[in-house]
Each structure stands twice: as C-alpha cells, then as structure tokens.
Amino acid sequence: MAVADGLTGEQSAPIARHPAQRRILAVLTASQVLGGVGVGTGIAVSTLVAANLSGSEAIGGLAQTSAVTGAGALAVPMARAATRHGRRAALSIAYASAGAGMLTAAIAVALGWWPLLLAGLFFAGGGSAASLAARYAATDLSAPGRTARDLSVVVWATTIGSIAGPNLAEPADRLGRSLGLADWSGPYALSAVAFALTLLGVMTLLRPDPLRAQAHGDPALATGERPKGGGWEVLRTTPRARLAVATIVVSHLVMVTVMVMTPVHLDHGNASLTIVGVVISLHIAGMFALSPLPGWLADRFGRIPVMIGGMALLAVATALASVSAPHHVTRLTVALFLLGLGWSFGLVGGSALLTDSVPAERRPAVQGLSDLLMNGGAALGGLAAGTIVTAFSYGVLSTTAMFLVLPMTAALLLARRR
C-alpha cells in the first residue's frame, strides 16, 4: 500500500516499518499510561494542598506553575542527554526527577512546609517533560508516511493516565492515612511509585534505544558527538522548523490560558464541582482521546493543513468562550472540547512537521527547545490569565487568546501558498 508524503500529501512507494518500531511504541504507550497516572494523581490535589498549607490561594496557584516551570527547565538537559546517550537516558532522567519530586512533595505535606512542596512539584515536572519527549521518541524509527500517526498514538495514551490519575487521588489519600501517612501524602506517594515503575520499565524495556537505532551508520549520532549549532541555530536557518515550533507554542499557550480560568468562570455561575469536573474531562478528551485523527490526517493530507485546522478550531473555541456567561454550561463545554481538539491538531501537526524539517542529528536539540518554549509560554499564559480575568473578565481573556490565533493562522496560510 502506498503512503502519503507528510508535507504535500502526494503518494509514494511503501517503506517497511523498522522491525523494532512496534515494540518501541508499545513500551512508550505503556510508559505514557503509567506516567500519566503519576502526573494526574499528584498534580490533581496540588493547588488545594498548597493553598491549605500556606493559607493563601495565590500560593495554591503557584503549585501548577511550579510543575510547568520544572517541565520546561528539564527540556534542554533532556535534549542534551538524548543527543549524547539516546532517548532511554533522557526519559530516565525525567522520570527519576519526577519520582524524587513527588517523594519530596509527600515529605513536605507531612512536615506542613509549603516551600518544600513547591520545590518537589518543580522536580515532579519531569513527568510532563517525559510525556512530551516520548512523542518524539515514537518518531525516531517511523517509516515515511507514518510519523504523525506513530506520534499521535503516544499522545493518545496520555488519555488513560490523565483521566485515571485525578480519580485515584482520593482513594490514594485514604490508603495513605490507613498506612499512617499524613493527610494528602497518599496521592504523592502513589505518584512516586508510579514514576518509579515507569522509570524501571523504560530502563529495562526501551531496547533498542530508538534514537541510537536510527543513528546506526550515522557517525555523529552513533558516537554521541554533539553537532555544531544548537536548537536556536536550527530555528534561525530552517523556516519550516520555526513555523512548526510557533504553531506548537501558540496552540499550547492559547489552550492553557483559557482552560485554567474556566473553572473559576463556572464557579461564578455557581456550577457544582461535578459540572466543573465534567467540563474539564471533556476538554481532556478533546486534547488526547482523538489525537489519532490529526495523526492520520497529517500523514494523509500533509502537516500544514492539519495545523491550519488546529488554528481554526482554537479560533472557534475562543470566540465561543468569549460570549459565554458563567451559567452557559453547555456552550462552555463545547468551547472547552474544541479548545482541546484544536490543541491536539496543532501539537500533532506541528510536532510531525518539526521532525520532518530537521536533520536527524539536530532533532533532539530543537525538540527540547520546542518543549522549553511550549512550557514557558504555558507558565506565562497561566500567570497572565488570572491578571486579565481579575482586571477585566473571562470574555476579555478569551478574546485576547483569539487574537493570538489569527496571526498564526495567517502565517500558516501563507506558508501553504508558498
């Protein structure tokens, strides 16, 4: 069966899948599920725990920011580790950091010391960093015409952990208390165990290392020699890579900016926690559950059309959110679902284009830089969102996010014409 070129959609001759790729995808998928439980369980309670320990809602808001900042800070060291030693080493560093961070958080809760909790959550950001890096590991041995689909399978696996994790927080707390742990130490302890098991699985089962296997016959990669010029140099000299990274960053920034303030907006309409939970769950479903769709579309019709589709979905979502009052639950639910789906199209299409646009020996560096910028944008967006809503309104925040989408859409349309 013929396959389609990732950029143009033109048909080309089929190329056999690398014999190790099926195993690699299975290991990465399993690590995403287990690692997702680790992220979801601990992070789900962090805002509440930090606020209770500190007596300040502002400090509570820093819990999520600490984890996002930690994920961004680890992106570049992970990229360097991948270049020198392979994907297995990079993912192991991230999962080890995440496990240590969650263990530190459990100790912080027992001691009642919120600064230590924030420090632990910073290192726990390694779980999110690993989740992002795993999508690129899935593409190292992809056959031409399957890159986006392989990437999207790993993104899809995040669905299970993202949904299961928050629902395990309360049972983990009860179990922890029955074992003599301090209140709310249980979720962090469970997360630490989940990350330890994920680390063990990656270290023992991710063989052959996908990046090293890809490097067979390439002296620069096979010896771990670092190529000249880092991620910034790649972006400076490669227009398609710049376009891909810009799409990823804008997609993530817009999604986080609107999403983080939606529960607060719903609360102003006296929505119950159950309703808020349903809205956010459907948002997460839009982000991850349908990710194979943009993966298939990107391989079949090209990366840029999928990225344009992502911007269109984000534009509709932010426009709908901007005219939704706190009591418009159905409208906000649709907006949040489309927001997640637009993020998925932008992330999958942009990540696939970035992989296609950069030589193999340069990919880890620019992929790490992409994740750094992505997380940095999310941290800034989360901080700005609260300020805008406090000073103006949720509608102004959503409108502002929409105006971030428009120039990116124009750039993608221009690139397609060229």
Side-chain angles (χ1 to χ4, degrees), residues 67-358:
V68 171
T69 304
L74 269 175
V76 172
M78 286 177 64
R80 290 173 179 169
T83 299
R84 293 172 175 171
H85 307 292
R87 299 287 188 190
R88 186 168 58 249
L91 292 174
S92 296
I93 289 171
Y95 284 125
S97 172
M102 286 300 184
L103 185 59
T104 301
I107 295 171
V109 173
L111 296 176
W113 192 21
W114 64 263
L116 184 61
L117 173 64
L118 295 184
L121 292 174
F122 176 87
F123 288 101
S128 297
S131 178
L132 290 172
R135 77 189 193 278
Y136 288 125
T139 68
D140 289 331
L141 298 179
S142 294
R146 288 200 59 91
T147 303
R149 273 172 285 184
D150 288 349
L151 184 152
S152 67
V153 166
V154 173
V155 174
W156 170 85
T158 310
T159 310
I160 302 173
S162 296
I163 293 176
N167 292 307
L168 290 173
E170 187 172 349
D173 179 49
R174 290 198 301 267
L175 177 61
R177 294 181 190 187
S178 70
L179 296 175
L181 298 180
D183 293 356
W184 295 113
S185 289
Y188 296 115
L190 175 61
S191 293
V193 171
F195 284 130
L197 293 174
T198 310
L199 171 62
L200 180 63
V202 166
M203 292 180 67
T204 58
L205 300 177
L206 194 61
R207 299 177 186 276
D209 185 284
L211 189 61
R212 306 298 269 172
Q214 180 200 59
H216 183 69
D218 186 325
L221 280 173
T223 62
E225 178 184 340
R226 294 182 64 191
K228 295 180 180 179
W232 289 112
E233 178 65 16
V234 173
L235 294 186
R236 188 183 68 81
T237 58
T238 314
R240 280 188 179 271
R242 286 200 302 272
L243 190 70
V245 171
T247 300
I248 293 169
V249 171
V250 169
S251 298
H252 199 55
L253 172 61
V254 169
M255 184 276 291
V256 170
T257 300
V258 176
M259 180 271 294
V260 296
M261 296 310 299
T262 300
V264 176
H265 188 58
L266 286 166
D267 183 63
H268 291 162
N270 297 317
S272 67
L273 288 177
T274 300
I275 290 176
V276 173
V278 169
V279 173
I280 297 302
S281 293
L282 289 173
H283 168 69
I284 293 173
M287 290 175 65
F288 300 117
L290 298 180
S291 58
L293 174 61
W296 179 82
L297 291 173
D299 282 338
R300 179 64 181 83
F301 299 105
R303 290 26 171 158
I304 291 180
V306 168
M307 293 154 69
I308 293 173
M311 291 300 110
L313 287 166
L314 291 173
V316 172
T318 52
L320 192 58
S322 69
V323 295
S324 298
H327 61 276
H328 291 157
V329 176
T330 300
R331 192 183 297 173
L332 284 166
T333 301
V334 174
L336 265 288
F337 176 79
L338 293 177
L339 188 73
L341 190 60
W343 175 89
S344 182
F345 271 62
L347 182 79
V348 171
S351 299
L353 179 60
L354 183 62
T355 299
D356 294 338
S357 303
V358 180

